[in-house]
Amino acid sequence: MIDWNKLADVLIPDEDVKPLEYYEEIYPERDLPKGAQVTRLAPSPTGFIHLGNLFVAIANERIAHQSGGLMYLRIEDTDLKRKVEGAVEAVKSALRYFDIRFDEGAEIEGAKNAYGPYYQRERAALYHAYAKDLIKRGLAYPCFCTEEALSALREKQTEEKKITGYYGEYAACRNLTEEEIYENLKAGKPYVIRLRSQGNAENKITFRDEIKGDITVTENDQDVVILKSDGIPTYHFAHAIDDHFMRTTLVIRGEEWLASLPIHIELFNVLGFRRPKYGHNCSLQKIDGETRRKLSKRKDPELSLEFYRQEGYYARAVKVYMLTLLNSNFEEWYLKNPDAALEDFKFSIGKMGKSGALFDLNKLSDISKNELAKLSVAEMIDFLQAWTEEFGSDVQKGYFADKAYLEKVLTLCMGIGGKKRRKDFCTAKQAMETIAYFFDESFEPEYAYRFENSTVKTILQGFKAVYDYADDCSAWFDKVKAVANEMGFATDMKAYKANPEAFPGNVSDVAEMLRIATTGLANTPDLWTIMQILGKDRTLARLDKAISVL
Ligand code: GLU
């Protein structure tokens, strides 16, 4: 018989831990109204914060705040190999961009933060106290198996077509004698602490998932590692302890964790903790050729949240799209309430998708265009300027020097004052590129005319000779028509349509030449207005420049 109390003391001395009651006392049940949910986001500080994180963050945030509860940020830094400097700031700033508010947690200033520390590596004593308790109860044991021994075991099991892992008869260290354990310790062999699973893989457990509904899982029988050889807990062990002591009531996490759920169920049971509710959120998928697959870090830049900031997606648009994917009735609600605060939508966990959500950048672009078409010029300037300061070029930063000029440009490009708002802008990056032709510093025309250079040249010269900045729109257009007429281009569209071969082209072809000469583009908003914004000198200079290269 093993003296488990003695072994526990040897492995985890009393001076390193506090009695269990201490932790229950310092992390009491939270005093929240009935029904209030405590949720969390628990990213690993790998420096890569992705759309999947945002996907669950929005659900967790909505449910917490809607129920009068709170959401906190916990940093799961148990895997040192994957740790990246500045990762926490990256998480926080990425989520701040999407207006995800934490009430408490790692580096959340101004919060009470009474359940911290929120970095798992700073909570070692707590995990050790519970590991020690499990050892004392004979429910955990030291395992001295080397990496080589474990991979040999895996190979053998694969060969024998058995479930791989450390369990039952394969769990070599499960039945070490007391002498063997102390010999190994004396020899200084590194060891991990494993759970002595009480489960039986023959048994099924029915489990209620808040998103997926009733699901059946197999009982855990794996003697999973709870403390690694450096004394740092595994995700599983830290999850059970932290979500208990941080008093989480609801865990919404990615469905990739569903496979580990039996381990978590057993851990909560042996630790004597009440389990939080779980909702396993479906993955984000995309259509790739003929197949539908999960978004991948390697293949899909749009998986990274950094992508949306660099491209300058409007945060609300991304959020609207995420909500569309998260709650099946959101789209309809939003159609009826296009200007409402997103918080006014009653988010419900029951309306979350049970299986993979299809993520489509084109759909996001459409939403983006709609959202940006709701902004005022002043709001657009703020949005573009914030992006440009972080990601734009020096030339683009210069666009903000003359605000009155920029306002005119945006008023036109956004279609303000027109019959309908234009939806030309999709992202800040693309919007800044779209307005580049208004600024000489970035005006780099390629002049792709559809007519002979000599024709274009005569037309440009003809127009330049009669151009008068003071002309109103109709006087201006009369001049365009006059130039067209002179060159034999049709100005009567009916006549042109009846007999197109009779003309080299029509007045809109002439307008296109003027447009390309002035802006470098064949498609722009109204050309007369563009010339008004550019001003007389700049318009004439552009016509000259265009003529000079013909
Ligand atoms: N650290 C885990 C992850 O980043 C957290 C999973 C969870 O929410 O429990 O995937």
Side-chain angles (χ1 to χ4, degrees), residues 40 42-44 53 74 76 235 239 251-253 256-257:
R40 84 299 193 269
S44 303
N53 295 125
R74 180 171 73 226
E76 305 214 319
Y235 165 73
H239 154 54
V251 171
I252 296 183
R253 62 181 177 186
E256 65 276 16
W257 291 109

Side-chain angles (χ1 to χ4, degrees), residues 258-320:
L258 203 50
S260 313
L261 184 66
I263 299 171
H264 304 154
I265 294 177
E266 180 166 18
L267 282 173
F268 273 94
N269 286 345
V270 296
L271 290 165
F273 299 156
R274 196 174 61 225
R275 265 196 331 255
K277 289 178 283 176
Y278 286 93
H280 289 92
N281 195 26
C282 62
S283 57
L284 288 165
Q285 307 182 332
K286 75 184 277 184
I287 301 279
D288 185 1
E290 300 280 280
T291 55
R292 181 170 165 151
R293 60 163 177 79
K294 261 170 75 169
L295 284 178
S296 115
K297 182 174 171 179
R298 199 167 44 81
K299 294 188 201 152
D300 309 311
E302 71 269 30
L303 184 59
S304 163
L305 286 190
E306 213 23 47
F307 169 84
Y308 300 90
R309 288 171 67 193
Q310 276 170 12
E311 291 294 308
Y313 276 91
Y314 189 50
R316 178 175 161 116
V318 179
K319 225 169 150 183
V320 164

Side-chain angles (χ1 to χ4, degrees), residues 195-241:
L195 171 75
R196 181 187 298 278
S197 173
Q198 307 297 301
N200 179 347
E202 306 275 291
N203 296 343
K204 300 278 176 221
I205 318 172
T206 309
F207 171 86
R208 175 151 186 85
D209 187 277
E210 301 297 312
I211 297 172
K212 294 192 185 291
D214 283 343
I215 48 176
T216 304
V217 295
T218 302
E219 213 170 82
N220 174 57
D221 69 345
Q222 298 266 347
D223 285 1
V224 291
V225 176
I226 56 173
L227 291 185
K228 296 185 261 188
S229 56
D230 55 0
I232 296 299
T234 53
Y235 165 73
H236 308 303
F237 196 51
H239 154 54
I241 291 181

